[in-house]
Amino acid sequence: ALDVSVSRVSSTLCTTQLAIAEKAILSGNAMIACQQERHEFEELPDDMGVDQPVFVDIRDRAGWSEDKRSPTGKMAALIADAALAIPATKTVDVESSGTCLIIGAADIAFSAAQHLKDALAVTVLLSPDADPGTGTERGYDVVYGKLASATGALGNFNIKIDAFQERIPGGRGVPAFTEPKDGAASNCDIVLDLSGGNPLFSAHEKREGYLRADPKSAEAKLSAILEAIQLKGTFEKPLYVRLDEPLCAHSRAQKTGCTRCLDLCPTGAISPAGEHVAVDPMVCAGCGMCSAVCPSGAISYDAPPVSAIFKRMENLATTFRKLSKDAPRLLIHDETFGAELIRLSARYGKGLPVDVIPMAVPALAVFGHAEMLAALGSGFASVCVLVSPTTEQEGLPPQVEIANAISGREAISVFEPSELDALDGFLWDGANGVSVAQPVLPLGTRRQVTRLSAKALNEPDAVIGLPTGAPYGAVDLNTEACTLCLSCVSLCPSGALTENPDLPQLRFQEDACLQCGICVNICPEKALTLEPRLNLADEALSQVVLHEEEPFACISCGALFGVRSTVMRITEQ
């Protein structure tokens, strides 16, 4: 089906037939269609000095199923997906010299310090009311104080401590300490929190370099200590998102507009920075919600880029539809929980139906309404997002609501299985649905792909009402209240609202409107309101006049300036 050569069938490539695999990998053109013993095959290229082979699972995801229909089209689609060249994720080096701050009660913190002092440069922070006679060990530092704040991530934590006291080196008797000092600042590479209190960071499990363990659990403490030892050296930190500041619609002239990414970022990596937002790449954990909700594309997922996700879906749908008359269904899942659930279903359950095409993505939350609609536009009849217990789900429901509103049916669903049988029941009992007759090629920005897919799913000139918060829509103008001051024009971040330099006119291009709300916030007459909708008519791509008035001619030179009604109102007053 893919016009590629296939080796003879083998049964034990990972053991007695390993020589066959070695020969294929050495050729530099190997694709291995089993994942179970992947680690065995990954070691071979390193020993032989060649590139890693391509891995694709067509057994658990396609071959092992109770479905009696031919899996050829599905297998071909999965192989075609694995063969796609995906851009490498950009990274930055993070240096950790091993300076470690331990927080917790004296006995617990000292025990951890004893284990870490030979591998890391350890400082123990005790509360101001701790016994000053404790901590005479010379293998690590002991300080007293109250942790006031902590920012940063692995390799660059910034710590501030109030009531800070250091031990004064001495000899006999209880050690002396410096006078308490507020606002003491320091840096460290690793923070080991054994306090048992509230975490220092939101979404603390995603903060690299911050290790938090229950002080009552010996196993948890040991696990954190072992992990801390491994955090010394140089590490590659993925750069998950790309920020294009001029496109950001956060604010203009201190008037706040879009805050979608700020409202959803679980780690606090995104912060206001004037007219745009800033992203701290060291804190960003790569959940992708910011990319899914950004109305302008100022923040875009880049590990891999969104365009690669579009290409993968189009490739999967096209390959499958060439070889099967069934309407394919897309199952989006993560690379850990979802992938394991599919493997368990293949071994102990019914397996996936032939028409269900699984697609693993690095971050489920990045799969927003644009990606969902791109899947439908590419030829999938429906999309199911298989979430895991660790999935950031706050941003998913609004994205599903927008996508279903645009598609005109409940084509998108989110499913969180409580057990293996629940997944089998959901997939096998689900309706196949109908895919578009003429699939689209999802190229361009997320907004462009959304509009392209929407036109394939609806009537050409449809105007689709959308829920509040959708990034598409019009502005309604109260012409009786509008004075054509054009303050909205001067602050519109996308250029949707414009003026006519020759006449008193307010113009609007609906396709460019981000529904950020800056125009509503800045209008002194409160004449503007937002109307979330997606207008598929061609008129949405061009400028229309919302309001215009007669210009006033200077009584001295006759030059046109201002608005006649405004000048007359002034003269009357």
Side-chain angles (χ1 to χ4, degrees):
L2 296 171
D3 194 27
V4 296
S5 60
V6 182
S7 66
R8 66 181 180 84
V9 175
S10 302
S11 57
T12 54
L13 279 178
C14 50
T15 54
T16 59
Q17 296 177 314
L18 194 60
I20 299 176
E22 289 179 348
K23 183 178 179 181
I25 292 173
L26 190 61
S27 71
N29 191 32
M31 176 180 287
I32 298 178
C34 171
Q35 295 277 1
Q36 181 170 306
E37 304 298 332
R38 177 170 178 163
H39 64 281
E40 294 283 353
F41 301 116
E42 287 178 330
E43 294 176 357
L44 295 176
D46 295 335
D47 297 337
M48 295 185 291
V50 297
D51 293 335
Q52 288 283 340
V54 176
F55 290 91
V56 55
D57 177 10
I58 62 171
R59 184 185 66 176
D60 293 349
R61 297 191 295 166
W64 285 356
S65 170
E66 292 186 7
D67 200 329
K68 302 305 180 184
R69 291 173 291 180
S70 170
T72 300
K74 182 177 180 179
M75 288 182 173
L78 295 175
I79 293 172
D81 178 51
L84 274 180
I86 303 297
T89 299
K90 302 178 181 67
T91 61
V92 62
D93 285 345
V94 174
E95 297 284 346
S96 171
S97 60
T99 56
C100 177
L101 177 67
I102 301 178
I103 308 168
D107 55 342
I108 296 172
F110 290 157
S111 174
Q114 287 290 342
H115 288 90
L116 291 172
K117 65 178 184 178
D118 294 331
L120 305 176
V122 175
T123 298
V124 174
L125 174 63
L126 300 179
S127 63
D129 56 357
D131 182 1
T134 59
T136 58
E137 167 68 43
R138 290 292 187 265
Y140 51 87
D141 293 329
V142 179
V143 297
Y144 291 79
K146 181 179 180 181
L147 188 64
S149 67
T151 59
L154 175 66
N156 189 28
F157 283 104
N158 298 303
I159 306 295
K160 288 188 176 180
I161 304 172
D162 289 339
F164 177 76
Q165 292 179 283
E166 290 182 284
R167 184 172 54 189
I168 300 174
R172 186 175 178 214
V174 177
F177 289 85
T178 59
E179 290 297 317
K181 172 187 175 181
D182 288 343
S186 185
N187 299 88
C188 64
D189 299 310
I190 307 159
V191 176
L192 177 57
D193 186 353
L194 302 175
S195 65
N198 293 328
L200 301 182
F201 306 99
S202 58
H204 63 89
E205 67 281 354
K206 299 179 181 296
R207 185 68 58 115
E208 294 177 344
Y210 176 64
L211 309 176
R212 180 172 178 265
D214 182 357
K216 298 179 182 179
S217 171
E219 183 178 354
K221 288 186 294 183
L222 178 60
S223 176
I225 290 171
L226 292 175
E227 186 174 352
I229 293 174
Q230 304 301 318
L231 294 180
K232 181 179 180 180
T234 302
F235 304 90
E236 287 189 346
K237 167 68 176 178
L239 299 177
Y240 292 108
V241 299
R242 176 174 49 84
L243 174 63
D244 192 348
E245 295 175 355
L247 295 180
C248 182
H250 171 56
S251 71
R252 294 293 186 274
Q254 299 183 344
K255 293 293 183 180
T256 301
C258 177
T259 61
R260 292 173 173 89
C261 61
L262 292 166
D263 296 338
L264 288 174
C265 181
T267 63
I270 305 176
S271 59
E275 294 191 345
H276 53 81
V277 299
V279 180
D280 186 341
M282 298 298 104
V283 176
C284 174
C287 72
M289 279 195 290
C290 55
S291 175
V293 301
C294 181
S296 65
I299 293 182
S300 179
Y301 200 75
D302 204 36
V306 173
S307 58
I309 296 178
F310 290 153
K311 177 60 180 175
R312 288 183 62 194
M313 293 188 296
E314 186 271 332
N315 191 37
L316 282 168
T318 301
T319 306
F320 180 86
R321 286 161 62 99
K322 285 180 179 178
L323 299 162
S324 176
K325 296 180 180 179
D326 296 313
R329 294 181 285 164
L330 183 63
L331 178 65
I332 297 295
H333 63 90
D334 63 11
E335 296 168 337
T336 52
F337 176 84
E340 180 62 20
L341 203 61
I342 290 172
R343 284 192 288 269
L344 291 174
S345 175
R347 287 168 169 78
Y348 307 108
K350 300 177 69 174
L352 298 183
V354 162
D355 61 323
V356 173
I357 314 297
M359 176 176 151
V361 293
L364 289 176
V366 76
F367 206 79
H369 71 273
E371 289 75 18
M372 298 169 185
L373 290 167
L376 298 180
S378 297
F380 286 100
S382 64
V383 178
C384 174
V385 181
L386 179 61
V387 299
S388 72
T390 59
T391 300
E392 292 80 5
Q393 298 189 38
E394 186 178 357
L396 270 176
Q399 297 299 303
V400 171
E401 186 179 6
I402 294 171
N404 280 332
I406 294 176
S407 68
R409 56 190 177 90
E410 297 295 312
I412 317 295
S413 60
V414 175
F415 183 65
E416 183 176 5
S418 56
E419 54 187 12
L420 179 60
D421 290 343
L423 176 64
D424 286 347
F426 179 80
L427 295 177
W428 286 83
D429 296 339
N432 289 339
V434 179
S435 56
V436 293
Q438 296 294 329
V440 300
L441 191 62
L443 296 176
T445 66
R446 296 180 76 249
R447 292 181 69 87
Q448 290 169 337
V449 169
T450 295
R451 184 176 182 83
L452 184 66
S453 301
K455 290 182 77 70
L457 296 165
N458 294 275
E459 294 296 324
D461 296 330
V463 179
I464 305 165
L466 298 179
T468 301
Y472 314 96
V475 292
D476 293 328
L477 177 68
N478 182 349
T479 56
E480 297 296 324
C482 178
T483 62
L484 287 176
C485 70
L486 302 179
S487 58
C488 56
V489 170
S490 63
L491 298 185
C492 180
S494 66
L497 289 166
T498 58
E499 64 176 328
N500 184 338
D502 300 320
L503 293 171
Q505 281 185 345
L506 176 61
R507 296 180 173 182
F508 176 66
Q509 182 176 329
E510 184 170 343
D511 178 62
C513 181
L514 306 176
Q515 298 282 287
C516 66
I518 292 179
C519 60
V520 174
N521 295 336
I522 195 63
C523 180
E525 286 81 27
K526 306 301 178 185
L528 288 167
T529 55
L530 301 178
E531 182 187 354
R533 70 181 195 181
L534 183 60
N535 186 354
L536 300 181
D538 291 341
E539 65 184 29
L541 304 176
S542 58
Q543 293 182 340
V544 296
V545 176
L546 293 182
H547 186 38
E548 62 180 335
E549 287 196 32
E550 181 184 352
F552 183 81
C554 175
I555 60 174
S556 175
C557 68
L560 300 179
F561 76 98
V563 181
R564 180 173 181 81
S565 63
T566 301
V567 176
M568 297 309 296
R569 190 178 304 117
I570 294 173
T571 57
E572 289 172 1
Q573 293 176 352

